[in-house]
Amino acid sequence: MNYLMSAATGFCGAMLLFTAASLAPAQAQDEAVDWEDKPYIVEDGKVDYGTYNGFRRYHNTCHTCHGPDGMGSTFAPALVNSLKDMSYADFAATVANGRSSSGASGNSVMPAFGDNVDVMLYIDHIYAYLKARADDAVGRGRPDRIDPENDPVFQEWQANQ
Amino acid sequence: MGMEDMKKFGLMAACSVLALAATTSLATANDELVEMQQNAKNWVMQLGNYSATRYSELEEINKDNVGDLQVAWSFSTGVLRGHEGGPLVIDGVMYVHTPFPNKVFALDLNDNGRIIWRYEPEQDPNVIPVMCCDTVNRGVAYGDGKIILHQADTNVVALDAKTGEELWKTQNGDPSKGETGTMSPLIAGDKVLVGNSGGEFGVQGHMTAYNLETGEQEWRAYSVGPDDQILLDPENTTHLGEPVGENSSVDTWEGDQWQLGGGTVWGWVSYDPELNLVYYGSGNPGTWNPAQRPGDNRWSMTIFARDLDTGVAKWVYQMTPHDEWDYDGVNENILVDMEIDGEQRKVLFHPDRNGFAYTLDRETGELLVAAKYDPAVNWATEVVMNEDDEQYGRPQVVAEYSTAQNGVDVNSEGICPAALGTKDQQPSAYSPETGLFYIPTNHVCMDYEPFQVSYTAGQPYVGATLSMYPAPDSHGGMGNFIAWDAAAGEIVWSVEEPFSVWSGALATAGDIVFYGTLEGYLKAVDMETGEELYRFKTPSGIIGNVNTYEHDGKQYVAVLSGIGGWAGIGLAAGLTEGTDGLGAVGAYQSLSDYTQLGGQLTVFSLPSE
């Protein structure tokens, strides 16, 4: 966690971002199709650390437009629907690069989060959470966590810090 | 302020020549609006008058006949976004604004609302996603034949009220850093007063005065920072009766954190022409994670009373030192005279996001009353009123609900109110007949977990996760519309609402109070009892403010519909259900079952006889 703490205090954010950006796709490839289809663990209604942290990070940055629990708002689409058929690569690219469109309600613009460490460091976690929501594997509100000792995702995350 | 004092303010010295030059035109513009605000036939400023009472002396529509109210005409703005603020009416012309792209229409009331002119600025759409919580705009301002528009991209534009021609334009902030424009400017004297938005992007909040004739900047006062930036006089500016001293802001931050310190100014401004003071509040400190900014974080969450001519603060009062809940202090400040403890006082009334309603002496900043205006409020037990107590003026925080004491990565549960506040920017009304304030409120609580975040310019800088739900152990709804006795600090009556009341209220001499609801109803209630006398469902949810005016001898009531804003984002899908342990009552329904996006002005009147 020291690693993360230092990110907040200065301009080493750019360096961290580099690490994160190169890390995420590699993970996706290693774990191939399985992880992308089911990037979360839900046991007895409890979720792994990634899904849990994805909930937190989603509600730090994304929910101000996409609404609580990925349910959408008057301003931006419901990601519980979008993630039903969006690939991890498309998801990550959209988050990193943003997108814009125009429709009946005027311009709709999503910003690029590519240089936001609070998003890009946890892009896999946010994906896991939203995918779990899209699959209806996790309900609304704050999910309970699997005991860290029995949580392989947390063990792996901690080992990498 | 003497010459010695002037030297202390580098910024001011630079502006003094301008200030002097401006004095000549001050009288005309000033007198014009001071007079115009007293004419009930017009609606010349967003809050009705400089005192921000949102009260009208019109009484054709009254308690006995409001049940017969009908739609007289309507107008589509062509924009489907959150419509905050409301139209102005000046001598037969109505000025209607929209959210981004911030169109302005001048409608001819003598010709069935024909469009006299329209204005649509060109703005970079990349400003859209840096606006927290929808692309709202709280309305245009009028002064000296000009309509002043504050655009999303922070440009402040003066338009000729007759033709719509652009007279001047000036940039008030930098959207690439997350600074945006949502607040309605106030014109006082020869100045246009306007602040910035972007409290979730680590910007440094400020209030700026521009010359109404030329658009030149006359002064800028930051909310946080060194003395010469915040325009506080260490010896003469007071906080609770004591001089603030040197470095009153920067000493309450760790290192340079104040540079990301927020305190944005996006609410309402009121003005006392006799005292020549302008009043407004500052927003939350950045980030939402209190652990990253130890100290009181002055002067975020603060009411400022500033001299209109110089910008120097006469007094300040910080309501929520070291915020841990996002309780921005930007809500309206209503200026009235009332008797408190047997003494007639010139007061300022401020129903804060933090759930306390404050009554202060507006001349001195003395704190007179601070009381909870929703019984659900639990994050603090009280505000200490004893001048001799070292905690004087400070809220007494309850440890259980302190996100700072509970610490980073801990989820604090059951905090009331939620970050939305017991009320947000939706302005209240005051009736001099009843002496009561009519306040649209939220009845929502939250869980709040702060965590470490990093700053990147132009990116969100939040640092907390929160879940919101209706106040537990209550009526199950998310809002109340209340009548408040500010001298006693007591609720007189309260109307339960299923959703937050996010619409500005209007009180009239017809003994009625109007407000809108998120489902889209315009409602009229009895001023004395709160009994509902009229409701009409407009096409979309109402987050705009209700106005009234008279035209050709007939009274009209006008309101903008268009769901959106923070209300549209937080509530569109319904909030999360309260956990069982907290005992949330009632099934929770989503706002999207009741209303859809819209953008419409609806104007009401009584049927012709």
Side-chain angles (χ1 to χ4, degrees), chain B residues 135-203:
Chain B
T135 54
V136 294
N137 183 291
R138 300 191 184 89
V140 294
Y142 172 84
D144 200 22
K146 299 175 190 63
I147 291 291
I148 306 293
L149 168 68
H150 180 206
Q151 297 177 189
D153 66 5
T154 80
N155 273 299
V156 181
V157 189
L159 305 171
D160 185 312
K162 286 203 160 55
T163 64
E165 183 197 353
E166 195 177 296
L167 301 174
W168 54 259
K169 185 173 189 171
T170 187
Q171 181 99 19
N172 189 47
D174 182 355
S176 74
K177 290 182 181 160
E179 270 185 291
T180 54
T182 62
M183 78 170 273
S184 175
L186 183 86
I187 294 172
D190 64 339
K191 292 179 180 58
V192 177
L193 297 159
V194 64
N196 61 349
S197 297
E200 278 59 56
F201 289 80
V203 311

Coordinates of all heavy atoms in Angstrom, one line a residue, chain B residues 135-203:
Chain B
T135 N -25.1 19.2 -16.8 CA -24.6 20.5 -17.3 C -25.6 21.6 -17.0 O -26.0 22.4 -17.8 CB -24.6 20.3 -18.9 OG1 -25.8 19.9 -19.3 CG2 -23.5 19.4 -19.3
V136 N -25.9 21.7 -15.7 CA -26.9 22.6 -15.3 C -26.4 24.1 -15.4 O -25.2 24.3 -15.4 CB -27.4 22.4 -13.8 CG1 -28.2 21.1 -13.8 CG2 -26.2 22.4 -12.9
N137 N -27.3 25.0 -15.4 CA -27.0 26.4 -15.3 C -28.1 27.1 -14.5 O -29.3 26.8 -14.8 CB -26.9 27.0 -16.7 CG -26.5 28.5 -16.7 OD1 -27.3 29.4 -16.3 ND2 -25.3 28.8 -17.2
R138 N -27.8 28.0 -13.6 CA -28.8 28.5 -12.6 C -29.4 29.8 -13.1 O -30.0 30.5 -12.3 CB -28.2 28.5 -11.2 CG -27.8 27.1 -10.8 CD -27.5 26.9 -9.4 NE -27.1 25.5 -9.3 CZ -25.8 25.1 -9.5 NH1 -24.8 26.0 -9.6 NH2 -25.5 23.8 -9.5
G139 N -29.1 30.2 -14.3 CA -29.9 31.3 -14.9 C -29.1 32.6 -15.2 O -28.0 32.8 -14.7
V140 N -29.7 33.4 -16.0 CA -29.1 34.7 -16.4 C -29.4 35.8 -15.4 O -30.3 35.6 -14.5 CB -29.5 35.1 -17.8 CG1 -29.1 34.1 -18.8 CG2 -31.0 35.3 -17.8
A141 N -28.6 36.9 -15.5 CA -28.9 38.1 -14.6 C -29.1 39.3 -15.5 O -28.7 39.3 -16.7 CB -27.6 38.3 -13.8
Y142 N -29.8 40.3 -15.0 CA -30.1 41.5 -15.7 C -29.6 42.7 -15.0 O -29.6 42.8 -13.8 CB -31.7 41.7 -15.9 CG -32.0 43.0 -16.4 CD1 -32.0 43.2 -17.8 CD2 -32.3 44.1 -15.6 CE1 -32.3 44.5 -18.4 CE2 -32.5 45.4 -16.2 CZ -32.5 45.5 -17.5 OH -32.8 46.8 -18.1
G143 N -29.0 43.7 -15.8 CA -28.6 44.9 -15.2 C -28.3 45.9 -16.3 O -27.6 45.6 -17.3
D144 N -28.8 47.1 -16.2 CA -28.4 48.2 -17.1 C -28.5 47.8 -18.6 O -27.6 48.0 -19.4 CB -26.9 48.6 -16.8 CG -26.6 50.0 -17.3 OD1 -27.6 50.8 -17.5 OD2 -25.5 50.4 -17.6
G145 N -29.7 47.3 -18.9 CA -30.0 46.9 -20.3 C -29.2 45.7 -20.8 O -29.2 45.5 -22.0
K146 N -28.6 45.0 -19.9 CA -27.8 43.8 -20.4 C -28.3 42.5 -19.7 O -28.7 42.5 -18.6 CB -26.3 44.0 -20.0 CG -25.7 45.2 -20.6 CD -24.3 45.3 -20.1 CE -23.7 46.7 -20.6 NZ -24.4 47.8 -20.0
I147 N -28.2 41.4 -20.5 CA -28.4 40.1 -19.9 C -27.0 39.5 -19.8 O -26.3 39.4 -20.7 CB -29.3 39.3 -20.8 CG1 -30.7 39.8 -20.9 CG2 -29.3 37.8 -20.4 CD1 -31.5 39.7 -19.6
I148 N -26.7 39.0 -18.6 CA -25.4 38.4 -18.3 C -25.6 36.9 -18.3 O -26.4 36.4 -17.5 CB -24.8 38.9 -17.0 CG1 -24.7 40.4 -17.0 CG2 -23.4 38.3 -16.9 CD1 -23.8 41.1 -18.0
L149 N -24.9 36.2 -19.1 CA -24.9 34.7 -19.2 C -23.5 34.2 -18.7 O -22.5 34.6 -19.1 CB -25.1 34.3 -20.6 CG -24.9 32.8 -21.0 CD1 -26.0 31.9 -20.3 CD2 -25.0 32.5 -22.5
H150 N -23.6 33.2 -17.8 CA -22.4 32.5 -17.3 C -22.4 31.1 -17.9 O -23.2 30.3 -17.5 CB -22.5 32.5 -15.8 CG -21.3 31.8 -15.2 ND1 -21.3 31.2 -13.9 CD2 -20.0 31.7 -15.6 CE1 -20.2 30.7 -13.6 NE2 -19.3 31.0 -14.6
Q151 N -21.5 30.9 -18.9 CA -21.5 29.7 -19.7 C -20.8 28.5 -18.9 O -20.0 28.8 -18.1 CB -20.8 29.9 -21.0 CG -21.5 30.9 -21.9 CD -20.7 31.1 -23.2 OE1 -21.1 32.0 -23.9 NE2 -19.6 30.4 -23.5
A152 N -21.1 27.3 -19.4 CA -20.5 26.1 -18.8 C -18.9 26.2 -18.9 O -18.2 25.8 -17.9 CB -21.0 24.9 -19.6
D153 N -18.4 26.8 -20.0 CA -17.0 26.8 -20.2 C -16.4 28.0 -19.4 O -15.2 28.4 -19.7 CB -16.6 26.9 -21.7 CG -17.1 28.2 -22.3 OD1 -17.6 29.1 -21.7 OD2 -16.9 28.3 -23.6
T154 N -17.1 28.6 -18.5 CA -16.7 29.8 -17.6 C -16.7 31.1 -18.3 O -16.4 32.1 -17.7 CB -15.4 29.6 -16.9 OG1 -14.3 29.9 -17.8 CG2 -15.2 28.2 -16.3
N155 N -17.0 31.2 -19.6 CA -17.1 32.5 -20.2 C -18.3 33.3 -19.6 O -19.4 32.7 -19.4 CB -17.3 32.4 -21.7 CG -16.0 32.3 -22.4 OD1 -15.2 33.3 -22.3 ND2 -15.7 31.2 -23.1
V156 N -18.1 34.5 -19.3 CA -19.2 35.4 -18.8 C -19.4 36.4 -20.0 O -18.5 37.0 -20.5 CB -18.7 36.2 -17.6 CG1 -19.9 37.1 -17.1 CG2 -18.3 35.2 -16.5
V157 N -20.7 36.4 -20.5 CA -21.0 37.2 -21.7 C -22.1 38.2 -21.3 O -23.1 37.9 -20.7 CB -21.6 36.2 -22.8 CG1 -21.7 37.0 -24.1 CG2 -20.7 35.0 -22.9
A158 N -21.9 39.4 -21.8 CA -23.0 40.4 -21.7 C -23.7 40.6 -23.0 O -23.0 40.7 -24.1 CB -22.3 41.8 -21.3
L159 N -25.0 40.4 -23.0 CA -25.8 40.5 -24.2 C -26.7 41.8 -24.1 O -27.2 42.1 -23.0 CB -26.7 39.3 -24.4 CG -26.0 38.0 -24.4 CD1 -27.0 36.8 -24.3 CD2 -25.1 37.8 -25.6
D160 N -26.9 42.4 -25.2 CA -27.9 43.5 -25.2 C -29.3 43.0 -25.0 O -29.7 42.1 -25.8 CB -27.8 44.3 -26.6 CG -28.6 45.5 -26.6 OD1 -29.8 45.4 -26.2 OD2 -28.1 46.6 -27.0
A161 N -29.9 43.4 -24.0 CA -31.2 42.8 -23.6 C -32.3 43.0 -24.7 O -33.2 42.3 -24.8 CB -31.8 43.4 -22.3
K162 N -32.1 44.0 -25.5 CA -33.1 44.3 -26.6 C -32.8 43.5 -27.9 O -33.7 43.1 -28.5 CB -33.0 45.8 -27.0 CG -33.7 46.7 -25.9 CD -34.1 48.0 -26.5 CE -35.2 48.7 -25.7 NZ -34.7 48.9 -24.3
T163 N -31.5 43.3 -28.2 CA -31.2 42.6 -29.4 C -30.5 41.3 -29.3 O -30.4 40.6 -30.3 CB -30.2 43.6 -30.2 OG1 -29.0 43.7 -29.5 CG2 -30.9 44.9 -30.4
G164 N -29.9 41.0 -28.2 CA -29.2 39.8 -28.0 C -27.7 39.9 -28.5 O -27.0 38.9 -28.5
E165 N -27.4 41.1 -29.0 CA -26.0 41.3 -29.5 C -25.0 41.2 -28.3 O -25.2 41.6 -27.2 CB -26.0 42.7 -30.0 CG -24.6 43.1 -30.6 CD -24.4 44.6 -30.8 OE1 -25.4 45.4 -30.6 OE2 -23.3 45.0 -31.2
E166 N -23.9 40.5 -28.7 CA -22.8 40.3 -27.7 C -22.1 41.6 -27.5 O -21.6 42.2 -28.4 CB -21.9 39.2 -28.2 CG -21.0 38.6 -27.2 CD -20.1 37.5 -27.8 OE1 -20.7 36.5 -28.2 OE2 -18.9 37.6 -27.8
L167 N -22.0 42.0 -26.2 CA -21.4 43.3 -25.9 C -19.9 43.1 -25.4 O -19.0 43.9 -25.7 CB -22.2 44.1 -24.9 CG -23.6 44.4 -25.3 CD1 -24.4 45.1 -24.2 CD2 -23.6 45.4 -26.6
W168 N -19.8 42.1 -24.5 CA -18.4 41.8 -24.1 C -18.4 40.3 -23.6 O -19.5 39.8 -23.3 CB -17.8 42.7 -23.0 CG -18.6 43.0 -21.8 CD1 -19.4 44.1 -21.5 CD2 -18.7 42.1 -20.6 NE1 -20.0 44.0 -20.3 CE2 -19.6 42.8 -19.7 CE3 -18.2 40.9 -20.2 CZ2 -19.9 42.3 -18.4 CZ3 -18.5 40.4 -19.0 CH2 -19.4 41.0 -18.1
K169 N -17.2 39.8 -23.5 CA -17.1 38.4 -23.1 C -15.8 38.2 -22.4 O -14.8 38.7 -22.8 CB -17.1 37.5 -24.4 CG -17.1 36.0 -24.2 CD -17.3 35.3 -25.5 CE -17.6 33.9 -25.4 NZ -18.0 33.3 -26.7
T170 N -15.8 37.5 -21.3 CA -14.6 37.3 -20.5 C -14.5 35.9 -19.9 O -15.5 35.3 -19.6 CB -14.4 38.4 -19.5 OG1 -13.1 38.3 -18.9 CG2 -15.4 38.2 -18.3
Q171 N -13.3 35.3 -19.9 CA -13.1 33.9 -19.4 C -12.9 34.0 -17.9 O -12.0 34.7 -17.4 CB -12.0 33.3 -20.1 CG -11.7 31.9 -19.7 CD -12.3 30.9 -20.7 OE1 -12.5 31.2 -21.9 NE2 -12.5 29.7 -20.3
N172 N -13.7 33.3 -17.1 CA -13.6 33.3 -15.7 C -12.8 32.2 -15.1 O -12.5 32.2 -13.9 CB -15.0 33.3 -15.1 CG -15.0 33.6 -13.6 OD1 -14.4 34.5 -13.1 ND2 -15.8 32.8 -12.8
G173 N -12.5 31.2 -15.9 CA -11.7 30.0 -15.3 C -11.2 29.1 -16.4 O -11.3 29.5 -17.6
D174 N -10.6 28.0 -16.0 CA -9.9 27.1 -17.0 C -10.5 25.7 -16.9 O -10.2 24.9 -16.1 CB -8.4 27.0 -16.6 CG -7.6 26.2 -17.6 OD1 -8.2 25.6 -18.5 OD2 -6.4 26.1 -17.4
P175 N -11.4 25.4 -17.9 CA -12.1 24.1 -17.9 C -11.1 23.0 -18.0 O -11.5 21.9 -17.6 CB -13.0 24.2 -19.2 CG -13.1 25.6 -19.5 CD -11.8 26.3 -19.0
S176 N -9.9 23.2 -18.6 CA -9.0 22.0 -18.7 C -8.5 21.6 -17.3 O -8.0 20.5 -17.2 CB -7.8 22.4 -19.6 OG -6.9 23.3 -18.9
K177 N -8.7 22.4 -16.3 CA -8.3 22.0 -15.0 C -9.6 21.6 -14.2 O -9.5 21.4 -13.0 CB -7.7 23.2 -14.2 CG -6.3 23.5 -14.7 CD -5.7 24.6 -13.9 CE -4.3 25.0 -14.4 NZ -3.9 26.3 -14.0
G178 N -10.7 21.6 -14.9 CA -11.9 21.2 -14.2 C -12.8 22.4 -13.7 O -13.8 22.2 -13.0
E179 N -12.4 23.6 -14.0 CA -13.2 24.8 -13.6 C -14.3 24.9 -14.6 O -14.1 25.0 -15.8 CB -12.3 26.0 -13.6 CG -11.7 26.3 -12.3 CD -11.0 27.7 -12.4 OE1 -10.0 27.8 -13.1 OE2 -11.4 28.6 -11.7
T180 N -15.6 25.0 -14.1 CA -16.7 25.2 -15.0 C -17.6 26.3 -14.4 O -17.4 26.8 -13.3 CB -17.5 23.9 -15.2 OG1 -17.8 23.4 -13.9 CG2 -16.6 22.8 -15.9
G181 N -18.7 26.6 -15.2 CA -19.6 27.6 -14.8 C -21.0 27.1 -14.6 O -21.5 26.5 -15.6
T182 N -21.6 27.2 -13.5 CA -23.0 26.8 -13.3 C -23.8 27.8 -12.6 O -25.0 27.9 -12.7 CB -23.1 25.5 -12.5 OG1 -22.6 25.7 -11.2 CG2 -22.4 24.3 -13.1
M183 N -23.2 28.7 -11.8 CA -23.9 29.6 -10.9 C -24.5 30.8 -11.7 O -23.9 31.1 -12.7 CB -23.1 30.1 -9.7 CG -22.1 31.2 -10.1 SD -21.4 31.9 -8.6 CE -22.5 33.2 -8.2
S184 N -25.6 31.3 -11.2 CA -26.1 32.5 -11.8 C -25.3 33.7 -11.2 O -25.2 33.8 -10.0 CB -27.6 32.7 -11.4 OG -28.1 33.9 -11.9
P185 N -24.9 34.7 -12.1 CA -24.2 35.9 -11.6 C -25.2 36.7 -10.8 O -26.5 36.6 -11.0 CB -23.8 36.6 -12.9 CG -24.0 35.6 -14.0 CD -25.0 34.7 -13.6
L186 N -24.7 37.6 -10.0 CA -25.6 38.6 -9.4 C -25.0 40.0 -9.8 O -23.8 40.2 -9.8 CB -25.6 38.6 -7.9 CG -26.5 39.6 -7.3 CD1 -28.0 39.1 -7.2 CD2 -26.1 40.1 -5.9
I187 N -25.9 40.9 -10.2 CA -25.4 42.2 -10.6 C -25.7 43.1 -9.4 O -26.9 43.3 -9.0 CB -26.0 42.7 -11.9 CG1 -25.6 41.8 -13.0 CG2 -25.7 44.2 -12.1 CD1 -26.3 42.1 -14.3
A188 N -24.7 43.8 -8.8 CA -24.8 44.7 -7.7 C -24.0 45.9 -8.0 O -22.8 45.8 -8.4 CB -24.4 44.0 -6.4
G189 N -24.6 47.1 -7.9 CA -23.9 48.3 -8.3 C -23.5 48.2 -9.8 O -24.3 47.8 -10.6
D190 N -22.2 48.5 -10.0 CA -21.8 48.4 -11.4 C -21.0 47.1 -11.6 O -20.1 47.0 -12.5 CB -20.9 49.6 -11.7 CG -19.6 49.6 -10.9 OD1 -19.6 49.0 -9.8 OD2 -18.6 50.3 -11.3
K191 N -21.2 46.1 -10.8 CA -20.4 44.9 -10.9 C -21.2 43.6 -11.1 O -22.4 43.5 -10.7 CB -19.6 44.7 -9.6 CG -18.6 45.8 -9.4 CD -17.8 45.6 -8.1 CE -16.8 46.7 -7.9 NZ -17.3 48.0 -7.9
V192 N -20.6 42.7 -11.9 CA -21.1 41.4 -12.1 C -20.4 40.4 -11.2 O -19.1 40.4 -11.3 CB -21.0 41.0 -13.6 CG1 -21.5 39.5 -13.7 CG2 -21.7 41.9 -14.5
L193 N -21.1 39.8 -10.3 CA -20.4 38.9 -9.3 C -20.6 37.5 -9.8 O -21.7 37.0 -10.0 CB -20.9 39.1 -7.9 CG -20.7 40.5 -7.4 CD1 -21.7 40.8 -6.2 CD2 -19.3 40.6 -6.9
V194 N -19.5 36.7 -9.9 CA -19.6 35.4 -10.4 C -18.5 34.5 -9.8 O -17.4 34.9 -9.7 CB -19.7 35.3 -12.0 CG1 -18.4 35.8 -12.6 CG2 -20.0 34.0 -12.5
G195 N -18.8 33.2 -9.5 CA -17.9 32.3 -8.9 C -17.6 31.1 -9.9 O -18.0 31.2 -11.0
N196 N -16.9 30.1 -9.4 CA -16.6 29.0 -10.2 C -17.1 27.7 -9.6 O -17.3 27.6 -8.4 CB -15.1 28.9 -10.5 CG -14.2 28.8 -9.2 OD1 -14.8 28.9 -8.1 ND2 -13.0 28.5 -9.3
S197 N -17.2 26.7 -10.5 CA -17.6 25.3 -10.0 C -16.3 24.4 -10.3 O -15.5 24.8 -11.1 CB -18.7 24.8 -10.8 OG -19.9 25.6 -10.6
G198 N -16.3 23.3 -9.7 CA -15.2 22.3 -9.9 C -14.7 21.8 -8.6 O -13.5 21.4 -8.6
G199 N -15.5 21.8 -7.5 CA -15.0 21.3 -6.2 C -14.5 19.9 -6.2 O -13.8 19.4 -5.3
E200 N -14.9 19.1 -7.2 CA -14.5 17.7 -7.3 C -13.3 17.5 -8.2 O -13.0 16.4 -8.6 CB -15.7 16.8 -7.8 CG -16.7 16.5 -6.7 CD -17.3 17.7 -6.1 OE1 -17.9 18.5 -6.8 OE2 -17.2 17.8 -4.8
F201 N -12.7 18.6 -8.6 CA -11.5 18.6 -9.5 C -10.3 19.3 -8.9 O -9.3 19.5 -9.6 CB -11.9 19.2 -10.9 CG -12.8 18.3 -11.7 CD1 -14.2 18.3 -11.4 CD2 -12.3 17.5 -12.6 CE1 -15.1 17.5 -12.1 CE2 -13.2 16.7 -13.4 CZ -14.6 16.7 -13.1
G202 N -10.3 19.5 -7.6 CA -9.2 20.1 -7.0 C -8.9 21.5 -7.5 O -7.7 21.9 -7.5
V203 N -9.9 22.3 -7.8 CA -9.6 23.7 -8.2 C -9.7 24.6 -7.0 O -10.1 24.2 -5.9 CB -10.6 24.2 -9.2 CG1 -10.8 23.2 -10.4 CG2 -12.0 24.5 -8.6

